[in-house]
Amino acid sequence: MVDQWLEEQGLSRDVAYTTPNYLQAAHIVARSDLAAVLPTQLARYFAGLLPLRLFDLPFDLGSFRLDVVSVAQRERDAGLQWLIEQIVALGAGAAQPSRSVD
């Protein structure tokens, strides 16, 4: 999404690091001169914990889907269920939990 907007503006970016999760990205940005694009609520949360400066993007990224994947054997794990509830709550109800059996 970011790269598409930049391309439309005739711009590009240099990707210095790719991380599999937002928590790691927030820590890297807090200790460097790099920048990252995070969901607003996560960015605000991390800014309360880390020395981050937040900026609005000059365009709207729209919404996105976040999937939580776990193995069926862990379905009754109270800790995992709590974590999923926290993720859904952080998304302010935007995330709709679903179950699938693989």
Side-chain angles (χ1 to χ4, degrees):
M1 293 179 273
V2 172
D3 291 316
Q4 179 182 352
W5 182 85
L6 288 170
E7 184 179 330
E8 290 169 0
Q9 307 306 311
L11 303 170
S12 64
R13 65 181 174 152
D14 294 322
V15 177
Y17 189 82
T18 301
T19 178
N21 61 68
Y22 294 125
L23 176 61
Q24 198 174 36
H27 279 276
I28 291 168
V29 169
R31 290 168 177 75
S32 70
D33 63 348
L34 300 174
V37 177
L38 303 175
T40 302
Q41 289 180 315
L42 281 174
R44 288 180 182 150
Y45 176 77
F46 291 142
L49 303 173
L50 299 166
L52 297 171
R53 292 177 44 203
L54 304 182
F55 301 92
D56 290 329
L57 292 174
F59 57 95
D60 181 25
L61 283 178
S63 62
F64 66 95
R65 179 184 171 109
L66 176 65
D67 294 315
V68 178
V69 179
S70 67
V71 295
Q73 293 87 346
R74 301 290 310 268
E75 187 171 299
R76 294 185 183 172
D77 183 321
L80 178 60
Q81 293 307 312
W82 175 86
L83 178 61
I84 292 170
E85 290 169 8
Q86 299 307 304
I87 292 169
V88 171
L90 189 60
Q96 298 298 317
S98 63
R99 301 264 182 215
S100 62
V101 177
D102 292 332

